[in-house]
Each structure stands twice: as structure tokens, then as C-alpha cells.
Amino acid sequence: MSSQIGRNIRVQVFGESHGPSIGVVIDGLPAGLAIDDKAIADQMARRAPGQSAQVTQRREADSPQFLSGLYRGHTTGSPLCAVIANTDTRSKDYAALTDLPRPSHADYNAAVKYGGYADMRGGGHFSGRLTAPLVLAGAICAGALRQRGIDVGAHLIQVGEVMAPALDPVAVTREDLDRLRQAPLGMADEAARQRVEDLLDDLRRQGDSVGGLVECAAIGLPQGLGEPMAAGVENRLSAALFTIPGLRGLAFGAGFAACAMRGSAHNDPYTLVDGRVQPASNHAGGVLGGITTGLPLISHTAFKPTPSIARPQASVRLSSLSPESLTISGRHDPCIAIRAVPVVEAVTAIVCLDLLFDKGGTYAT
């Protein structure tokens, strides 16, 4: 398995959903970086289950225990390792699934690839549970970014057919991102959030689920980060974001809407701001030729509906190769995109910090 992202800041996650613990090793952090326990706890709480009636009621404290790389509240320069205990598992909910794979899960694929040896309880290493250590790593990287005037924030702009306003791709501020981080369900628009809550209540009663779209912005990035062609900003961020389970689509700036635009509308004309050249609009999403433009780095990530639903679904019993109906029990989100918001934010922060360490980057301890 390859569960590592980053070139300069290398983040390796480990563990399984129903194992004793999950965790992360972060290699490449400079010595002397202050670790903000409260900021980490706040970010972990945004991702954690059991926060509202609209997400799974599995309850995990998600309090990390640092095993190495941290001394007196600062990084030491050696690999930082942290573990998060799994304390609220119900493995019996998954006992039959080794023989009856769930649709739209990795159950069958993993059984074929690993010969039945993978621990697939709760989804095993493929589970969204493994995003907790990603959020931990992202919170640490976000702290380093903020010290250099760079901030990252994400929010939901679509759940099913319910839409919420997008960020201003040019003028988004740190105050805007702070407001998003406080928003219930990751959605700052109150009217849209109420419609989403009603939708999720209906889906829970129906035993069904829905997908969603997450918008993320990184502001304050300097011009000139990224190395074309294969090491461009979009390349590296895309590879990292696709480690998040359930992600099915990714776009930057205007994204797929650019297909219907004229060049005269999509092009970002240059202007002078305080004697500095920068684009006047941001259809490019803050990246041209794989290199940052200095405007906000804007991405949109699409998440599929939660595949674990209470409705009967068709499957195949592997031991007898016979068709069989499957009804999934357990505790599951009607929309995984809600808890994906801080994960997208975290992964983006990891990649942004990683980019600053490239040759010609601006990171300095």
C-alpha cells in the first residue's frame, strides 16, 4: 500500500478503522515549530463523528497522543508520530461483509488484491476513519502556514440539489475563512443549511444518502510556487486530495464551467495592484502552467453519496457465488461531504506547506 503524500513534508497515515488505533507520521517538519493544541482540537472536532443528528453517531474522542518529534510544545526536527485510539467500534456490524461485499465499497476489490488478508472491518484502511490523522497533520501544517500569512479554509457549496453561495475567488479574506470554520455542517449560508438539514432528515428516514461539493481556498500564497509539468500545483494537490475516500471529481477555478465559456470571458486580464502585476479575475483558480499566480488557490471537490445505506442492495455471496440481497446496518452519514470539509482543508494545507519547501520557495524557519 502507498499511504503517503508530500515530497518535502511527507505525511504517512497508518491503521484500520476497527484496529486499536490509527495515526500519522510527519517527516520533514522543521525544528522549533510551535504546536497549537487548541487549533488541533478544534479541527479534529469539525471532522469527528457524533457532532449532530446529520452525521454518523459513532463517537470517538479523537485526542492524539504524540509519540515522537514533539518536546515542550515544539517540533524537534525528527519525524513526528501521533496515534489516535479507536474507542467506539462495532465490528459485529461488519462480520458478514467479508462474504457479502457492499456495493460502491472496496470490499471485493481489496479481497481480490490482498487475498482476504486485509482487515476490512469498518472499511479497514480504506475507511473514512483514516481521515482523522490527515486532519491532525493538516492542522499542524496550517499553523505553520498562518505564521507566514497563508490561510486555508473550506465549506460546502452543494448538497444534493441545494446550492450555497461560493466564495469571491479574488477578494476572499481570512475573516471569510474563519467564518466558514465556525459554520454548522460546513455551510455558512443559513437558508441553504436549513434546506440541507431538512433533506438529510428525509434521507435518514428513507435509508438513503446524497453527495456534495466542497469549495476550498488557500489565500496568501506567493507567486511562483509549483514546478511544471508533472510537479505543478494542480498535479500535487490532485494526487493528495484523491487520498480522501469518496472523492469523485476535482476542478480548479471555473473548472468544468469553462467548457461553456468564451476565451474573452474566461481569460484573467492582468492589472497593477500596489505596483504589482496580478490577474484581475480568477477563473484560473490561482494557478497557471502549474504555478501559483498570487491570487487565492480555489478548488472544488465532488463527493459521492454515502455508499452505506439502509436500503436493500444487490450483491453476491462470494462463498457460493450466488446473488443475494444486502441490507447494511450500523451508523453511517447520509452525506459524507459534510465531514469531508475539514479533510479537504487539511490536505490542501499539507500540500501548500510542502510547496513552500521546493527549491525557490519562500519557507524560512
Side-chain angles (χ1 to χ4, degrees):
M1 288 186 179
S2 177
S3 303
Q4 177 177 295
I5 60 176
R7 297 185 175 206
N8 307 297
I9 304 295
R10 295 171 297 280
V11 175
Q12 172 87 47
V13 299
F14 61 86
E16 291 84 26
S17 178
H18 285 202
S21 62
I22 53 179
V24 64
V25 177
I26 312 173
D27 198 4
L29 291 173
L33 179 64
I35 300 300
D36 187 335
D37 291 336
K38 182 180 184 305
I40 291 173
D42 289 346
Q43 288 296 92
M44 299 296 286
R46 290 174 67 200
R47 192 222 68 93
Q51 299 298 312
S52 74
Q54 276 70 37
V55 299
T56 173
Q57 293 305 293
R58 175 175 175 174
R59 296 185 180 275
E60 297 284 5
D62 283 355
S63 298
Q65 177 187 3
F66 291 94
L67 303 182
S68 67
L70 186 65
Y71 183 64
R72 295 178 177 174
H74 292 77
T75 56
T76 64
S78 65
L80 187 150
C81 178
V83 295
I84 303 168
N86 291 326
T87 59
D88 187 23
T89 60
R90 294 183 186 175
S91 298
K92 60 181 177 60
D93 291 342
Y94 300 87
L97 300 180
T98 55
D99 196 35
L100 197 62
R102 299 167 294 176
S104 200
H105 281 275
D107 298 345
Y108 179 67
N109 309 56
V112 172
K113 182 173 180 65
Y114 300 110
Y117 287 101
D119 178 0
M120 294 303 295
R121 296 172 301 167
H125 193 67
F126 301 87
S127 170
R129 177 76 182 130
L130 272 295
T131 61
L134 280 178
V135 171
L136 169 59
I140 293 170
C141 292
L145 291 174
R146 280 191 291 271
Q147 293 177 19
R148 286 146 188 87
I150 300 167
D151 202 359
V152 181
H155 67 136
L156 272 176
I157 59 171
Q158 183 177 355
V159 174
E161 296 181 353
V162 180
M163 305 289 296
L167 294 167
D168 185 319
V170 174
V172 57
T173 66
R174 173 171 289 188
E175 290 71 27
D176 293 329
L177 301 185
D178 285 339
R179 177 172 53 86
L180 297 183
R181 279 188 281 268
Q182 302 300 319
L185 298 184
M187 185 170 275
D189 185 81
E190 187 174 351
R193 185 170 65 244
Q194 183 58 60
R195 292 179 60 196
V196 168
E197 290 177 351
D198 293 341
L199 170 62
L200 297 180
D201 286 341
D202 288 342
L203 288 169
R204 192 178 293 280
R205 287 191 291 268
Q206 297 166 17
D208 216 335
S209 62
V210 72
L213 185 67
V214 176
E215 180 180 55
C216 185
I219 62 174
L221 290 171
Q223 295 175 333
L225 296 181
E227 301 286 343
M229 296 175 52
V233 173
E234 302 107 311
N235 307 59
R236 288 161 68 173
L237 185 53
S238 297
L241 285 169
F242 272 103
T243 64
I244 305 174
L247 196 152
R248 281 295 173 266
L250 171 61
F252 293 91
F256 292 102
C259 299
M261 298 174 70
R262 303 289 179 91
S264 55
H266 182 268
N267 289 350
D268 298 318
Y270 286 105
T271 187
L272 287 172
V273 178
D274 298 327
R276 183 167 55 91
V277 177
Q278 75 171 39
S281 55
N282 196 17
H283 296 109
V287 188
L288 288 170
I291 302 169
T292 54
T293 67
L295 288 184
L297 173 61
I298 306 291
S299 70
H300 296 92
T301 46
F303 288 86
K304 69 181 182 181
T306 310
S308 292
I309 58 176
R311 290 188 172 190
Q313 301 178 81
S315 186
V316 172
R317 185 163 294 281
L318 301 181
S319 58
S320 59
L321 290 181
S322 57
E324 190 165 325
S325 178
L326 167 67
T327 300
I328 299 174
S329 60
R331 301 158 293 176
H332 306 285
D333 296 311
C335 179
I336 57 175
I338 295 171
R339 292 172 60 212
V341 170
V343 187
V344 171
E345 188 175 306
V347 171
T348 302
I350 293 168
V351 174
C352 287
L353 186 62
D354 190 47
L355 286 163
L356 291 180
F357 276 88
D358 282 354
K359 182 179 179 181
T362 60
Y363 189 93
T365 57

